[in-house]
């Protein structure tokens, strides 16, 4: 995680690249903005570190990184019933006590899990104060605060000013105005090959659920059972823009975080680039496409079902079959035909109990989809990244007809940095072309790319003539 610099004499912390030049002996380093805040420092008004994302580089202990990811996804903002989680719940999900979890966070990050969640909520609220015309009361609840009083208290702690004072100081260029929906910036660090990402999504868009027009990715979503629409498009060299059409704003902070995952905006490219740059196979690919990122997903369950369907068929056939499934079991949403959208994807419970006959699926695929949906619904398979890569792969491959390469592909799309579908026919063929390697040699070869094998696989898949990112198979997914 990229560090922040705090100045002892001023009580202010800055992001890297800020123009302030304090004396070196007056500077303290923190890995997170939340850690600097926990130590009593406030955000710089010049560089505005709250506008920049928290990157997870997986260089800290794996459990800490998984905890951070889950906190950013809302693990401490809501419980299973939507009424708020706590550190004990998060610890149980990760397999440790709350006390041990707090100790790990404090040791490695300098802030408790609760402190990190509070900082994330406050930073998100500050961006809304800058970028939108939502009222202060609306922002308090959108950002996950239980009351306006809590919001005011958090702003005073972190920014030393009230929300009203902060909004009065926003810059003219901050405010985003849209004819429809709510516009929000999604900043990222480093390069992003958004065109390659959009091409990937366009080739595999689920009919009715996803649609790509020009450089914009559109999709339907469900927010507490109610339909909405998201649009993602390039806003500038350092940010995408999210246009959200939502039934209500209560879940906005979690909607934004999940939208970031679609394009892997929180993945720090610096650490893998340093390791992979000198590799004779992956290094040249990385230099040719420095902004290529592992494609993410909005809905891990939806993505997994489509990947299961695509195990034995072409990309076009997988799109058709998944579209049929959505038409039968998805929830229709009216008024979206002009956007190329019509349904939300069925939930695990719906799909587990649904009739898949007559869709054109093989019996093996139908059985695998039903079994997978039941396992997700019962929490036997976890798609929230609370478990290790090995555990996830084992739970997926326990289902008949689901191969290890499929499980690794699911993990790769979920954001597991070391997922690597070594037995994928497309990856084997590409490595045969690039390095003259036989399938039996690929597993050993990939060991030198740990713990960034997912990015290595993406670069290798992308190394074809038209620079398209294949899916888990060259002629599938």
């Amino acid at each position: 995680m990229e560090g922040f610099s705090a100045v002892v004499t001023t009580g202010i912390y800055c992001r890297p690249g800020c123009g302030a030049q304090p004396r070196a002996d007056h500077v303290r380093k923190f890995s997170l903005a939340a850690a600097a805040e926990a130590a009593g420092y406030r955000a710089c008004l010049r560089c505005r570190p709250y506008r920049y994302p928290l990157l997870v580089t997986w260089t800290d202990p794996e459990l800490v990184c998984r905890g951070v990811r889950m906190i950013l996804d809302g693990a401490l903002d809501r419980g299973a019933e939507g009424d708020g989680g706590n550190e004990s719940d998060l610890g149980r999900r990760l397999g440790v006590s709350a006390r041990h979890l707090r100790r790990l966070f404090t040791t490695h990050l300098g802030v408790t899990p609760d402190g990190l969640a509070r900082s994330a909520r406050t930073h998100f609220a500050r961006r809304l104060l800058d970028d939108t015309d939502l009222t202060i009361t609306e922002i308090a609840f959108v950002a996950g605060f239980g009351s306006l009083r809590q919001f005011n208290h958090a702003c005073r702690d972190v920014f030393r000013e009230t929300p009203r004072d902060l909004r009065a100081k926003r810059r003219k260029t901050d405010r985003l105005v849209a004819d429809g929906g709510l516009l929000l910036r999604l900043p990222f660090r480093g390069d992003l090959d958004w065109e390659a990402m959009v091409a990937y999504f366009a080739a595999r868009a689920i009919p009715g659920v996803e649609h790509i027009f020009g450089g914009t990715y559109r999709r339907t979503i469900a927010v507490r059972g109610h339909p909405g629409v998201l649009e993602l498009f390039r806003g500038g060299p350092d940010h995408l823009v999210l246009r959200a059409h939502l039934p209500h704003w209560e879940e906005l902070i979690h909607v934004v975080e999940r939208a970031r995952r679609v394009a892997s905006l929180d993945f720090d490219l610096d650490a893998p680039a340093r390791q992979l740059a000198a590799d004779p196979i992956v290094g040249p690919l990385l230099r040719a496409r420095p902004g290529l990122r592992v494609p993410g997903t909005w809905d891990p369950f939806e993505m997994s079902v489509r990947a299961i369907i695509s195990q034995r068929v072409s990309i076009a056939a997988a799109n058709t079959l998944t579209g049929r499934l959505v038409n039968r079991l998805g929830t229709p949403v009216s008024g979206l035909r002009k956007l190329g959208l019509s349904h939300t994807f069925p939930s695990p419970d719906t799909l587990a109990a649904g009739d898949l006959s007559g869709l054109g699926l093989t019996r093996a695929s139908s059985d695998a989809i039903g079994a997978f949906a039941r396992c997700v619904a019962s929490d036997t398979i976890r798609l929230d990244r609370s478990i290790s890569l090995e555990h996830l792969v084992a739970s997926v491959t326990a289902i008949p007809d689901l191969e290890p390469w499929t499980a690794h592909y699911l993990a790769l799309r979920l954001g597991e940095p070391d997922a690597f579908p070594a037995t994928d026919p497309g990856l084997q063929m590409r490595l045969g072309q690039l390095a003259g390697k036989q399938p039996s040699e690929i597993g050993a070869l990939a060991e030198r790319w740990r713990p960034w094998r997912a990015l290595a696989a993406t670069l290798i898949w992308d190394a074809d003539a038209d620079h398209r990112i294949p899916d888990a198979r060259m002629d599938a997914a």
Side-chain angles (χ1 to χ4, degrees):
M1 300 178 187
E2 193 169 343
F4 294 84
S5 299
V7 184
V8 175
T9 53
T10 64
I12 294 173
Y13 75 90
C14 304
R15 68 179 180 88
C18 183
Q21 297 181 335
R23 285 173 44 180
D25 59 336
H26 288 172
V27 174
R28 290 184 61 190
K29 295 290 187 179
F30 293 91
S31 60
L32 302 177
E37 292 160 7
Y41 295 90
R42 63 178 175 84
C44 174
L45 295 178
R46 179 189 300 176
C47 67
R48 301 193 290 178
Y50 62 88
R51 297 187 69 86
Y52 293 81
L54 168 65
L55 300 185
V56 181
T57 64
W58 297 85
T59 54
D60 287 307
E62 181 179 335
L63 188 144
V64 173
C65 292
R66 293 189 184 282
V68 170
R69 184 73 271 164
M70 293 178 69
I71 289 169
L72 295 180
D73 288 344
L76 297 184
D77 297 333
R78 58 185 177 186
E81 302 300 325
D83 57 355
N86 57 47
E87 290 181 345
S88 295
D89 296 330
L90 178 59
R92 280 193 294 270
R93 195 72 178 168
L94 292 168
V96 297
S97 68
R99 181 179 179 182
H100 184 56
L101 185 65
R102 288 176 66 89
R103 184 186 304 116
L104 285 173
F105 266 64
T106 302
T107 299
H108 294 281
L109 302 180
V111 65
T112 65
D114 276 337
L116 179 62
R118 184 170 181 264
S119 176
R121 288 192 292 269
T122 309
H123 286 204
F124 179 72
R126 178 68 192 275
R127 294 198 298 274
L128 294 181
L129 288 170
D130 284 354
D131 295 348
T132 76
D133 286 332
L134 293 175
T135 69
I136 290 174
T137 300
E138 287 174 327
I139 290 173
F141 290 99
V142 163
F145 290 97
S147 67
L148 188 58
R149 181 179 179 180
Q150 286 183 7
F151 181 37
N152 275 277
H153 185 66
C155 281
R156 286 185 180 277
D157 279 352
V158 174
F159 299 114
R160 304 294 193 271
E161 295 188 78
T162 66
R164 188 176 302 278
D165 292 336
L166 294 171
R167 166 153 279 178
K169 292 182 177 180
R170 72 174 173 179
R171 303 170 188 175
K172 291 182 179 180
T173 55
D174 285 338
R175 183 172 176 268
L176 299 175
V177 181
D179 293 333
L182 179 70
L183 288 180
L184 294 168
R185 291 182 181 88
L186 303 185
F188 55 85
R189 292 174 181 150
D191 296 319
L192 171 65
D193 193 336
W194 176 240
E195 292 70 26
M197 192 79 71
V198 168
Y200 171 85
F201 293 137
R204 295 155 183 84
I206 298 174
V209 175
E210 300 173 292
H211 182 70
I212 285 78
F213 180 77
T216 299
Y217 169 77
R218 296 187 178 116
R219 65 160 298 116
T220 58
I221 66 170
V223 182
R224 295 191 178 184
H226 302 287
V229 173
L230 298 184
E231 300 177 89
L232 277 173
F233 53 92
R234 172 78 78 171
D238 63 350
H239 69 280
L240 298 181
V241 172
L242 167 67
R243 180 184 284 115
H245 308 265
L246 303 179
H248 47 75
W249 300 121
E250 285 85 349
E251 292 293 310
L252 182 60
I253 186 172
H254 308 300
V255 169
V256 170
E257 189 59 39
R258 289 181 65 180
R260 297 183 61 82
R261 294 204 306 249
V262 172
S264 298
L265 298 186
D266 293 325
F267 183 70
D268 184 4
L269 288 171
D270 289 343
R274 285 192 296 270
Q275 177 175 325
L276 300 177
D279 186 87
I281 297 175
V282 177
L285 304 178
L286 182 65
R287 288 189 289 275
R289 306 300 297 278
L292 193 68
R293 299 182 183 224
V294 180
T297 181
W298 165 263
D299 182 353
F301 176 71
E302 167 193 296
M303 176 273 300
S304 300
V305 170
R306 189 196 177 284
I308 293 170
I309 291 174
S310 69
Q311 282 190 128
R312 303 288 183 265
V313 298
S314 68
I315 291 175
N319 293 343
T320 299
L321 293 171
T322 311
R324 291 175 184 170
L325 182 150
V326 166
N327 280 326
R328 177 178 294 182
L329 298 175
T331 301
V333 184
S334 61
L336 300 182
R337 291 291 180 180
K338 290 184 178 180
L339 298 178
L341 305 171
S342 61
H343 290 73
T344 59
F345 198 82
S347 69
D349 287 325
T350 299
L351 200 49
D355 177 15
L356 300 181
S357 63
L359 296 177
L361 296 167
T362 65
R363 178 62 180 272
S365 292
S366 296
D367 290 346
I369 291 169
F372 182 82
R374 288 189 292 274
C375 286
V376 172
S378 66
D379 206 37
T380 304
I381 292 178
R382 296 185 186 179
L383 301 178
D384 63 358
R385 295 183 66 178
S386 63
I387 57 176
S388 68
L389 171 62
E390 293 74 19
H391 188 172
L392 175 62
V393 170
S395 64
V396 172
T397 54
I399 297 175
D401 202 48
L402 295 190
E403 302 292 338
W405 65 262
T406 303
H408 271 271
Y409 174 70
L410 305 184
L412 179 147
R413 293 288 304 278
L414 278 173
E416 290 291 338
D418 204 36
F420 189 79
T423 57
D424 162 46
L427 192 66
Q428 292 177 344
M429 182 181 74
R430 190 68 71 211
L431 273 173
Q433 295 170 341
L434 291 172
K437 297 296 182 181
Q438 299 299 314
S440 59
E441 302 176 282
I442 291 176
L445 173 66
E447 287 298 310
R448 71 194 194 201
W449 301 327
R450 286 185 183 272
W452 312 114
R453 294 187 301 171
L455 180 58
T458 303
L459 289 163
I460 293 166
W461 273 326
D462 186 63
D464 59 350
D466 62 359
H467 292 121
R468 295 296 178 89
I469 309 172
D471 215 324
R473 297 178 60 178
M474 284 297 301
D475 59 347

